[in-house]
Amino acid sequence: THLVGTRDVDIEHSTYGAFPAWLIAETRTGSVPATDTLYLSYVDLRPLHWTSTLGGQSRMALEFTADSLYGGTSGPSGNQSIMLAHGRDLVAGSAMTEVVLQLMPHRVGRVDSVSVLEVDLGASRIIPGALSVDGEQDLDTALGRFHCWVISLTTPDGVAHYWLSESDPVVVRMRQDLPHRPGVVFEEALVDRR
């Protein structure tokens, strides 16, 4: 096990373009420090605007409309313009994924389709995904024992497993085999809650 850093996610009421919105602010420290801000429509949680800074040198800014997104990335490897069409089921980033997991209906066997936005400095794409509630499990963590829904997000790139506490929905653990890195697993665990 190698600790790569910590992650802090805050969600608050805000406005974007003079309209009510949710603001998700995510800060990561450690090996690759990063900050993300994502504005979601207050009513239907559609992405509106997403900015990100990675390692202090790479940046991304995206603007979302009802059926498309546009923006770009810049970094040491160069710049990239991004223009993609999307549907209403778009999930943009890990923090938004966690919000969707908290709000979706939970029942073992439930499956729902989503479109997942992948952005890196080389290319951007929207890929199909499926969210499935696979079961329930008790999970011991640094904060105690949680009874959790076990939920999977499956895409052509692989599967990420989430443990979402039932009583007060929050992701307490996430585990993902990294694509193109056999045997390497990325895992997140809840260690503090404010």
Side-chain angles (χ1 to χ4, degrees):
T1 302
H2 177 73
L3 180 66
V4 294
T6 61
R7 178 175 172 250
D8 185 52
V9 178
D10 293 309
I11 301 172
E12 60 186 57
H13 292 120
S14 186
T15 58
Y16 187 74
F19 293 99
W22 292 103
L23 170 61
I24 303 174
E26 180 178 3
T27 306
R28 293 182 297 277
T29 60
S31 302
V32 184
T35 57
D36 282 33
T37 56
L38 175 63
Y39 288 88
L40 302 176
S41 165
Y42 190 80
V43 176
D44 59 7
L45 299 177
R46 285 180 302 105
L48 301 171
H49 180 80
W50 186 13
T51 60
S52 182
T53 303
L54 183 64
Q57 296 181 356
S58 300
R59 291 175 171 56
M60 176 195 72
L62 295 175
E63 201 67 32
F64 298 82
T65 64
D67 63 355
S68 58
L69 63 95
Y70 59 92
T73 63
S74 65
S77 61
N79 300 331
Q80 172 195 185
S81 294
I82 302 170
M83 290 179 275
L84 297 167
H86 69 81
R88 297 189 59 79
D89 63 348
L90 184 67
V91 177
S94 59
M96 183 178 178
T97 301
E98 292 181 17
V99 169
V100 168
L101 294 178
Q102 292 172 10
L103 297 175
M104 70 181 269
H106 304 108
R107 180 184 79 254
V108 174
R110 177 181 169 79
V111 178
D112 203 351
S113 63
V114 293
S115 297
V116 179
L117 174 61
E118 290 187 343
V119 178
D120 64 34
L121 292 175
S124 301
R125 63 186 183 147
I126 296 173
I127 59 174
L131 287 170
S132 60
V133 182
D134 302 327
E136 299 179 53
Q137 181 180 350
D138 288 328
L139 185 67
D140 292 317
T141 73
L143 298 176
R145 177 172 277 202
F146 292 90
H147 188 70
C148 298
W149 296 106
V150 181
I151 303 171
S152 297
L153 172 59
T154 304
T155 70
D157 290 342
V159 181
H161 301 281
Y162 297 85
W163 285 261
L164 180 77
S165 64
E166 282 189 18
S167 60
D168 182 15
V170 63
V171 174
V172 295
R173 181 178 178 203
M174 188 280 291
R175 181 180 173 88
Q176 179 179 16
D177 293 323
L178 295 181
H180 315 298
R181 302 282 309 266
V184 178
V185 175
F186 180 72
E187 189 169 326
E188 292 180 342
L190 181 69
V191 294
D192 187 22
R193 184 151 189 218
R194 287 179 238 125

